[in-house]
Amino acid sequence: MNREDAIRVLIVDDQALMRAGFRALLDAEDGIEVIGEAADGRRAVELAREHTPDVALVDVQMPVLSGIEATREIAADPRLSGVHVVILTNYGLDEYVFEALRAGAAGFLLKDTEPAELLRAIRVAARGDALLSPAVTRRLIGEFVSRPPDRATAPGLEALTRREREVTALAARGLTNEEIAAHMVISPFTAKTHISRAMTKLGARDRAQLVVFAYESGLVTPRDPRL
């Protein structure tokens, strides 16, 4: 892979040892280039605007500006629409991660993730896919169980065709394009096209935001037979 084709990564963590560990791993991997490091959320946003990385690995709890606020600022900047934020956490799917997904993060990783899984996750995020496994999605569903759909703030379902609603619901289960294609008996390319059109109509940055939309809009619920 040529250097210009490499996945460009920004590392954001207030612990120097954590940053050094991530950098050492990524620098040794072909096809991935670390373009900068930040020790706080404000600097993370500045470097994202300066370098427009493909993926930003962002710690949740940081000084000056939290990882969630940094994610929100990056997601809100049209110039950074290609920056996919992956939240780093010690605690699994806690309230911080849930809020980060709402803010526009593409997904999350535990800090003790195996090196091979981290590398895979970076490539998944760079493609614009969500880092939400079915197990994680089930826990997300649990977050929505106790709250009614927020149809007052969610985009209108009327913007989506029947097929687009169906693929959005399946994506909310954590299915890949290939799995969606098999379920709907269509090609993976067609499934990807439906997903892309749904994201465009809803103003979603990535599949993670489609998951949030699916439950907030009431398109799917924990009692939906499709789940």
Side-chain angles (χ1 to χ4, degrees), residues 143-203:
E143 292 284 348
F144 283 103
V145 167
S146 62
R147 62 188 77 181
D150 188 5
R151 295 184 177 87
T153 59
L157 288 175
E158 66 276 3
L160 302 182
T161 65
R162 180 182 61 82
R163 282 297 217 186
E164 289 163 357
R165 293 188 192 191
E166 187 174 356
V167 298
T168 297
L170 293 172
R173 292 176 54 191
L175 271 64
T176 65
N177 287 345
E178 289 73 19
E179 291 167 337
I180 291 173
H183 182 89
M184 297 178 64
V185 195
I186 57 178
S187 71
F189 177 79
T190 300
K192 182 178 180 179
T193 298
H194 285 316
I195 287 285
S196 297
R197 288 175 177 169
M199 287 170 53
T200 298
K201 290 180 179 180
L202 299 172

Side-chain angles (χ1 to χ4, degrees), residues 131-145:
L131 293 172
L132 296 173
S133 68
V136 171
T137 301
R138 283 193 293 272
R139 295 187 66 181
L140 266 177
I141 292 170
E143 292 284 348
F144 283 103
V145 167

Side-chain angles (χ1 to χ4, degrees), residues 10-15 18-19 37-45 56-71 74 85-88 96 111:
L10 172 64
I11 300 171
V12 185
D13 197 298
D14 62 339
Q15 299 181 40
M18 291 298 300
R19 295 198 308 275
E37 298 179 23
D40 63 72
R42 174 53 59 203
R43 183 60 178 154
V45 176
L57 298 176
V58 180
D59 188 20
V60 170
Q61 295 179 313
M62 291 185 299
V64 185
L65 193 69
S66 73
I68 293 172
E69 289 302 323
T71 298
I74 290 172
V85 176
V86 176
I87 293 295
L88 300 170
Y96 298 112
K111 285 190 176 182

